Amino acid sequence: MDSSTSVLRLKVNIDEPRWDQSTYWGRAKHFFSITNPLNILATKQELEKARNIVQTYRSGGDVGQLTVDELWKAKELYDSAYHPDTGEKMMVIGRMSSQVPMNMTITGFMMTFYKTTPGVVFWQWVNQSFNAIVNYTNRSGDSPLTNTQLGTSYVLATGGALVTALGLNSLVKTAPPLIGRWVPFAAVAAANCINIPLMRLREIQEGVPVSDINGNRLGNSKRAAERGIALVTLSRIGMAAPGMVFTPIVMNALEKRGFLSRYPWSAAPIQLALLGVCLTFATPMCCALFSQRASISVSNLDAELQEEIKKLPNPPTVVYYNKGL
């Protein structure tokens, strides 16, 4: 398709991702567009223009001689700033386009001040506070998180990260320096394992909708919810892994060679640069690891739901559900 063709002569479905989500690279392209940090530089006027284009196009109105590329650019900018359910403009640091610069900065400080107890406590608290803001900003419009859920998740995730970081720091005092540099990653991984299940506790308790290949809803499954949450947790840990594992190796090597003692001012910018590169690619590529529309065998569903599905004419052997992000 010629991207310069006017959308007036085409029927473009902007409510579905631009790229094929059944392939890994299609999903990766989709998430690269969502997490693009350049989107946070858009002015108020540019965001308003993008919102008007999207709303006008959805309602069947006249958007002029826009090309397909221009329409998708407006949609990507709109998605980067406005909540998909409520349509409200999201706070800047809670947007997906802020993930790379915010995580790069916070992780850089966590990995710089990982040896002292005050440094560990403060930066782990900052990290979990940022996660709470992201979770609140991107909360579901249909079944929003309660303040109690947000508060409980925040307190327990912060506590889990601190216990892990401080506990491991005390254990690795006599270990090689590189092991100590990896402690912040262990703390972040532990916090994710606490935070994500708590934020989605309602799904674990009530299940998530599952459907057949044609989208016909078959019921709710707690097993599917548990699997979806596990996949999301793995992808979140995967996002942090390259920067928080590879960067300490480089910094440890520079320290051994005396580079950091000769140029002590260089430690922070080098760490930030390495983390920025890693996160720019790891964030969208790990989001794309598992399809948003995940599949699960009927034999792995809750026993009651299995029985209901088996009673159907031509019962499916595989069902589908939204795993979340």
Side-chain angles (χ1 to χ4, degrees):
M1 178 188 295
D2 182 359
S3 61
S4 66
T5 304
S6 169
V7 298
L8 293 177
R9 303 206 314 269
L10 298 169
K11 191 64 177 177
V12 181
N13 185 3
I14 60 172
D15 292 320
E16 293 291 335
R18 184 176 187 179
W19 296 279
D20 182 4
Q21 297 299 285
S22 66
T23 68
Y24 173 76
W25 288 113
R27 296 194 297 273
K29 288 178 181 179
H30 172 66
F31 285 110
F32 266 110
S33 71
I34 288 178
T35 60
N36 183 0
L38 295 177
N39 286 334
I40 61 175
L41 301 177
T43 65
K44 180 180 178 181
Q45 291 74 22
E46 289 172 328
L47 293 177
E48 186 66 21
K49 180 181 178 181
R51 185 175 73 90
N52 288 336
I53 289 172
V54 170
Q55 291 183 341
T56 301
Y57 184 79
R58 279 176 170 164
S59 64
D62 182 12
V63 293
Q65 294 297 315
L66 282 182
T67 65
V68 173
D69 278 346
E70 288 170 339
L71 176 64
W72 278 115
K73 185 176 180 180
K75 178 60 164 50
E76 289 163 10
L77 196 56
Y78 172 83
D79 286 345
S80 76
Y82 296 91
H83 194 282
D85 294 331
T86 65
E88 296 176 357
K89 186 184 291 185
M90 298 181 286
M91 64 180 77
V92 174
I93 64 172
R95 299 173 190 172
M96 288 300 290
S97 51
S98 295
Q99 289 293 295
V100 171
M102 289 299 298
N103 277 321
M104 177 183 73
T105 304
I106 295 171
T107 304
F109 280 112
M110 281 196 296
M111 293 172 63
T112 299
F113 302 102
Y114 69 96
K115 290 183 178 179
T116 66
T117 298
V120 169
V121 171
F122 179 75
W123 286 108
Q124 289 293 342
W125 168 73
V126 169
N127 186 47
Q128 293 310 318
S129 297
F130 170 65
N131 288 338
I133 291 172
V134 172
N135 289 330
Y136 176 78
T137 303
N138 294 280
R139 66 199 183 280
S140 169
D142 294 327
S143 54
L145 295 164
T146 65
N147 290 335
T148 301
Q149 287 174 306
L150 283 167
T152 301
S153 173
Y154 172 60
V155 170
L156 291 180
T158 304
L162 289 175
V163 168
T164 303
L166 295 174
L168 288 178
N169 270 346
S170 66
L171 292 175
V172 302
K173 286 180 179 178
T174 57
L178 179 59
I179 303 301
R181 288 182 180 275
W182 279 334
V183 167
F185 173 61
V188 168
N192 273 321
C193 291
I194 297 169
N195 190 27
I196 297 170
L198 281 173
M199 295 299 293
R200 297 175 61 177
L201 185 60
R202 183 179 298 180
E203 295 177 25
I204 296 174
Q205 295 172 334
E206 301 176 7
V208 294
V210 297
S211 58
D212 61 21
I213 195 169
N214 298 314
N216 299 311
R217 183 167 173 171
L218 304 173
N220 281 20
S221 171
K222 296 178 183 178
R223 293 272 186 89
E226 291 166 1
R227 178 170 293 194
I229 290 168
L231 294 178
V232 169
T233 303
L234 283 174
S235 66
R236 294 278 186 92
I237 294 173
M239 290 178 206
M244 299 189 79
V245 173
F246 172 70
T247 301
I249 294 174
V250 174
M251 299 305 292
N252 194 60
L254 292 175
E255 189 172 48
K256 282 184 176 180
R257 288 171 171 77
F259 182 87
L260 297 182
S261 60
R262 292 195 301 272
Y263 308 101
W265 55 268
S266 67
I270 290 173
Q271 279 200 147
L272 286 174
L274 290 171
L275 286 167
V277 172
C278 289
L279 285 167
T280 297
F281 291 94
T283 300
M285 294 181 78
C286 287
C287 280
L289 283 175
F290 308 106
S291 178
Q292 187 79 16
R293 190 184 185 222
S295 62
I296 182 172
S297 172
V298 171
S299 61
N300 291 326
L301 294 174
D302 321 59
E304 302 85 355
L305 185 56
Q306 283 188 47
E307 293 303 314
E308 290 179 22
I309 292 175
K310 287 176 182 177
K311 294 176 183 177
L312 298 172
N314 301 316
T317 57
V318 175
V319 293
Y320 301 87
Y321 64 98
N322 182 0
K323 73 168 181 63
L325 281 176

